[in-house]
Amino acid sequence: MSRSLSKINLIIFLIAAGSILGIKGQNTPEKLNGRIIGTAECVDYSTGQQSYTVNTAANAFDGDLQNMFATYQRSGGWAGMDLGEKHIITQIAYCPRPEWGKRLVLGVFEGANHPDFGDAVPLFMISSRPEDNRMTAQSINCSRGFRYVRYVGPNDVRCNIAEIEFYGHPGQGDDSKLIQITNLPTISIHTTNADDIVEKEKYLKGIVSVISENGTQIYTDSLNIRGRGNASWNFPKKPYRMKLYEKASLLGLPAKEKNWTLINNYGDKTLMRNLLAFDLSRRLEMPYTPAGVAVDVLLNGEYKGTYQLCDQIEVADKRVEVEKMKKTDTSLPKLSGGYLIEIDAYASGETSKFYSKLKNIPVTIQYPKDDEIVSAQSSYIKSHFEAMESALFSSNFRDPNNGYRKYLDMETFIRHFLVGEISGNTDTYWSVYMYKQRNEDIFRFGPVWDFDLAYENDNRTFPINSNPAWIYNSKGSAATGARDLVNRIFSDILFQNQLRSVYSHYRDKGILSEEALLKVVDEYAEQMNQSQMLNFMRWDILNKMVHQNSQALGSYQAEVNNVKNYIRERIKWMDKKLNYQPDSNPDPNPDPGPTTSAEEKYGIDTFVWVDYNTVYLKGLTDPVKIEVFDTTGRLISSKHTSDHQFSVSLNRGLYLIRSTNSSGKHQTFKCIVP
């Protein structure tokens, strides 16, 4: 009896001691209190003037649902608490200013451990209008402990919140579970002093947090960030360029680098046109395709919308891979490369540039960089570009040794051309990236870039598929001399036959099938569905014509359907334009093409083209057996070769060519000898 009473007394003593000492269960949430903090400049509604004493952030924590907090500044206003120590936040409750609930939609709650909220990450974003005159509670599942918590009002609403309550318990926490705004990765950026990004030339310092894998992964680093883009910089939704402090492979993308871009896709109401074109580039096996992934972006606690995290186009491993140069590389052979240049309609605004002698083509030298390139290198690449131009427009430009093919790589040009034409990109020759390796004469084309006007999104060329002309030669945009360059190449019958052969190759393999391309559209639409709804709350443009829009269809699904309809008709158009005849003996297991995974890297496959009565194959494995059949299945020619190229002279007609390697694996090609 006495022993039992002793245990009871001990328990009573411990409970009492815990109560006296303030010790509570670690998982018992309670309404939190702390020092009230927030935007200092508020509105005195009696005068409508700026005030530091009337209508302060304390109004959001006074328990009065009729009393509200409104900032003097229209955007960036906030109210929060310094909790004194780290707490795990388990619930947030909030109430709007009476009759102004719509002004809380897209408002963001954040937690931080620096008093300036430079390291803040999101806790919750309000996605629907809350009820007036009552608290709306939201459970929070975030494992990190925060000392500082706050509410940041959405854009252009003066904050306008009546009441805020935070619930939780003391705890250091960990990073095992953080918050994403939607199923897409969340990128949260905070600049020093919450300065807005208003320039393209001046970098601001800040901190970036990239949250992914349903909140189980986070990458954080210091960064410099500025605006970017040309026409896109003038949109209300701004694009950005980030420079990390440390090289990183963000979200598992292939390159481990400091420089990354956030593409705004403002006028692209599907938010996916660039990603679709990148998928085309991978399908057509361009040596390098920029990596890109859809994300949600927050800047200084304000929701900015759906963006595309993307490679910066630069010379780097897993990006444009040419030899790095030094300022001392002023003589051959090192002077010969590598270089990254851009036929660039905006070249006049760039530092390192030239205009070609013959056609006045504007060219920006992207690498070596402006602050690294020396005059010998500038002179060399200009001279070499002009040698290419001179060969292309000479009387013997078709000469295989001294004509344009000495300087221009047709494998990458054809694939670059097909990406632009299949996507219907009116900007393809407004900006054309090209690169040159050391000790080689040829310029290779790529990477592809800038497709916000593609897939039937330009009023100057709408409707694309009713025009019998190639899109590059229609009413879209092109840099000076760029169309002349392409037209000259098109005047070569060898190029035309090679173009048809390459296109047929990918059609026959099912890589460019309607089914495969539409599947990618559906996958991106499903992936971005949650995010697009928030994006078009932030940017209410679905019923508005912006940029070069040819139509305003009123809904996201209608915009997606428009792209799908375009693709269906474009494939038919391309088939007719290139006289494509389906393989009479198709592969029973067609290749669906590359996945959208950024970890994939594709080389250029074997392909076939025809020059008059001669059929060529290039890119063969070593050794192989080549067999040529006519349409009846009769063997016309058979040859074993250890070369990477093969040619055979044939009479006019349709032929099937089969290449078989030593392990028995084969590829089949169709060709037409005109």
Side-chain angles (χ1 to χ4, degrees):
M1 175 82 66
S2 60
R3 183 174 297 175
S4 297
L5 287 174
S6 297
K7 288 182 178 180
I8 293 172
N9 290 336
L10 177 60
I11 292 170
I12 293 172
F13 170 77
L14 291 174
I15 292 173
S19 178
I20 294 170
L21 296 174
I23 300 173
K24 298 185 178 180
Q26 290 297 300
N27 295 316
T28 303
E30 63 175 348
K31 183 178 176 182
L32 303 178
N33 295 300
R35 181 173 62 88
I36 296 172
I37 53 180
T39 306
E41 299 86 355
C42 305
V43 175
D44 181 349
Y45 272 96
S46 64
T47 64
Q49 301 299 311
Q50 183 177 10
S51 171
Y52 290 90
T53 58
V54 177
N55 178 36
T56 66
N59 286 19
F61 298 95
D62 62 2
D64 185 352
L65 301 187
Q66 302 303 308
N67 192 18
M68 56 87 182
F69 168 59
T71 60
Y72 181 73
Q73 62 207 58
R74 298 203 63 87
S75 300
W78 61 275
M81 281 186 175
D82 173 1
L83 302 174
E85 62 177 327
K86 290 185 178 181
H87 284 70
I88 307 296
I89 306 302
T90 59
Q91 181 176 288
I92 295 171
Y94 53 92
C95 180
R97 173 186 176 184
E99 301 182 7
W100 286 92
K102 65 181 181 180
R103 292 200 171 186
L104 265 62
V105 177
L106 303 184
V108 175
F109 292 92
E110 292 185 311
N113 287 303
H114 293 172
D116 63 356
F117 283 85
D119 65 334
V121 293
L123 288 167
F124 174 64
M125 186 167 80
I126 302 170
S127 60
S128 60
R129 177 173 179 162
E131 294 185 36
D132 291 334
N133 301 312
R134 58 165 293 179
M135 298 294 288
T136 297
Q138 174 65 42
S139 297
I140 305 298
N141 182 20
C142 181
S143 64
R144 180 184 284 189
F146 301 104
R147 174 173 172 174
Y148 304 95
V149 289
R150 70 175 180 177
Y151 167 77
V152 183
N155 178 67
D156 199 34
V157 300
R158 298 190 188 277
C159 207
N160 269 301
I161 191 165
E163 200 67 20
I164 306 169
E165 295 176 350
F166 293 99
Y167 293 82
H169 56 80
Q172 293 292 314
D174 56 36
D175 285 349
S176 60
K177 184 66 175 73
L178 298 171
I179 303 299
Q180 291 178 209
I181 295 301
T182 71
N183 58 297
L184 297 184
T186 293
I187 296 184
S188 178
I189 299 166
H190 289 82
T191 60
T192 302
N193 299 320
D195 290 336
D196 196 12
I197 303 166
V198 296
E199 296 183 38
K200 292 196 300 178
E201 291 76 28
K202 181 182 178 182
Y203 276 104
L204 300 181
K205 295 183 181 298
I207 296 175
V208 61
S209 296
V210 183
I211 305 169
S212 61
E213 301 297 328
N214 195 29
T216 62
Q217 298 290 327
I218 183 169
Y219 175 83
T220 300
D221 193 11
S222 300
L223 88 164
N224 290 312
I225 185 168
R226 63 171 173 83
R228 65 167 306 280
N230 292 298
S232 61
W233 176 245
N234 296 316
F235 300 151
K237 181 185 180 185
K238 302 295 184 184
Y240 305 110
R241 177 171 173 176
M242 302 188 298
K243 185 173 184 178
L244 305 176
Y245 183 74
E246 299 284 352
K247 290 184 177 182
S249 174
L250 295 182
L251 297 173
L253 299 181
K256 185 177 182 181
E257 291 297 330
K258 293 182 178 182
N259 295 307
W260 298 87
T261 62
L262 287 170
I263 307 299
N264 50 346
N265 292 324
Y266 178 72
D268 170 15
K269 295 171 186 174
T270 69
L271 305 167
M272 68 173 77
R273 283 178 164 88
N274 277 304
L275 296 173
L276 293 176
F278 291 171
D279 175 77
L280 264 182
S281 175
R282 287 191 293 271
R283 287 175 181 277
L284 290 167
E285 300 176 290
M286 288 290 280
Y288 162 61
T289 299
V293 62
V295 296
D296 294 307
V297 172
L298 301 170
L299 177 61
N300 295 321
E302 181 186 326
Y303 175 67
K304 291 293 185 178
T306 310
Y307 278 71
Q308 176 187 317
L309 174 68
C310 192
D311 283 351
Q312 169 69 22
I313 303 303
E314 62 180 349
V315 170
D317 184 38
K318 304 291 181 67
R319 289 182 176 169
V320 179
E321 295 185 337
V322 299
E323 295 84 355
K324 295 288 184 73
M325 296 187 71
K326 302 176 182 178
K327 291 184 177 182
T328 55
D329 293 340
T330 57
S331 60
L332 295 173
K334 290 185 177 181
L335 181 60
S336 67
Y339 293 91
L340 172 63
I341 63 174
E342 178 188 4
I343 296 176
D344 182 10
Y346 291 115
S348 62
E350 300 297 330
T351 301
S352 187
K353 61 181 179 291
F354 63 84
Y355 295 85
S356 69
K357 183 177 181 180
L358 192 61
K359 293 294 181 178
N360 200 37
I361 299 173
V363 179
T364 298
I365 304 173
Q366 299 287 356
Y367 182 84
K369 298 177 182 178
D370 293 350
D371 58 348
E372 297 173 353
I373 195 168
V374 296
S375 59
Q377 295 163 356
S378 298
S379 298
Y380 172 85
I381 195 61
K382 179 179 186 292
S383 175
H384 197 76
F385 186 90
E386 290 177 340
M388 174 276 294
E389 184 183 48
S390 178
L392 179 62
F393 291 98
S394 68
S395 59
N396 68 335
F397 78 103
R398 295 185 182 90
D399 185 282
N401 296 317
N402 297 306
Y404 75 96
R405 286 176 180 265
K406 177 182 179 180
Y407 297 100
L408 293 180
D409 175 51
M410 286 298 98
E411 294 178 359
T412 50
F413 175 81
I414 286 172
R415 286 159 173 80
H416 184 278
F417 176 84
L418 286 173
V419 173
E421 289 296 329
I422 294 171
S423 69
N425 187 25
T426 54
D427 271 352
T428 295
Y429 295 100
W430 184 261
S431 166
V432 182
Y433 284 103
M434 305 165 69
Y435 57 96
K436 181 187 177 300
Q437 303 280 6
R438 183 170 295 165
N439 295 326
E440 290 186 352
D441 285 335
I442 63 171
F443 288 102
R444 290 181 170 85
F445 287 77
V448 300
W449 189 253
D450 193 9
F451 291 84
D452 62 318
L453 296 181
Y455 297 96
E456 203 72 283
N457 197 35
D458 190 336
N459 57 41
R460 296 169 296 179
T461 55
F462 174 84
I464 293 173
N465 293 319
S466 67
N467 189 341
W470 292 109
I471 190 71
Y472 86 88
N473 238 350
S474 60
K475 296 179 181 179
S477 53
T480 301
R483 284 197 182 101
D484 294 336
L485 184 151
V486 181
N487 284 333
R488 185 65 166 172
I489 294 172
F490 252 94
S491 68
D492 180 11
I493 187 66
L494 174 57
F495 163 76
Q496 294 182 33
N497 290 331
Q498 188 176 347
L499 173 64
R500 292 187 185 97
S501 296
V502 172
Y503 179 75
S504 295
H505 170 73
Y506 291 104
R507 286 287 282 126
D508 285 343
K509 292 184 72 174
I511 293 173
L512 292 180
S513 70
E514 176 184 314
E515 179 184 9
L517 299 182
L518 294 182
K519 182 180 178 183
V520 178
V521 178
D522 288 335
E523 287 173 348
Y524 276 126
E526 181 179 3
Q527 179 188 109
M528 289 192 276
N529 189 50
Q530 293 180 34
S531 184
Q532 65 85 13
M533 289 190 286
L534 297 174
N535 181 83
F536 293 113
M537 290 181 193
R538 178 66 177 84
W539 309 103
D540 184 16
I541 60 172
L542 286 173
N543 284 301
K544 299 176 183 177
M545 306 277 275
V546 299
H547 195 28
Q548 299 287 354
N549 287 170
S550 56
Q551 5 177 26
L553 299 175
S555 73
Y556 182 72
Q557 189 59 55
E559 295 287 347
V560 171
N561 289 341
N562 178 56
V563 168
K564 294 174 69 174
N565 291 335
Y566 164 80
I567 290 173
R568 292 186 185 99
E569 294 304 314
R570 192 61 176 175
I571 292 299
K572 295 175 185 176
W573 189 97
M574 294 288 296
D575 287 352
K576 182 178 180 181
K577 186 74 171 177
L578 292 173
N579 193 27
Y580 169 68
Q581 301 296 323
D583 191 342
S584 59
N585 185 27
D587 189 339
N589 298 300
D591 189 340
T595 66
T596 55
S597 169
E599 297 177 0
E600 299 281 359
K601 184 176 180 180
Y602 305 96
I604 294 177
D605 204 352
T606 306
F607 65 92
V608 58
W609 78 93
V610 181
D611 182 16
Y612 301 103
N613 68 332
T614 303
V615 178
Y616 297 86
L617 271 76
K618 189 172 182 180
L620 298 169
T621 56
D622 185 15
V624 294
K625 178 184 179 182
I626 305 295
E627 298 170 293
V628 182
F629 302 89
D630 65 15
T631 54
T632 68
R634 181 169 60 96
L635 181 65
I636 302 299
S637 175
S638 178
K639 180 181 178 180
H640 286 83
T641 178
S642 58
D643 295 333
H644 294 288
Q645 297 189 87
F646 167 83
S647 63
V648 60
S649 295
L650 297 169
N651 295 324
R652 177 181 295 182
L654 175 65
Y655 297 89
L656 294 177
I657 302 176
R658 184 166 63 194
S659 165
T660 307
N661 64 18
S662 57
S663 64
K665 183 177 179 181
H666 68 267
Q667 291 180 291
T668 302
F669 308 91
K670 180 189 66 179
C671 68
I672 300 172
V673 178

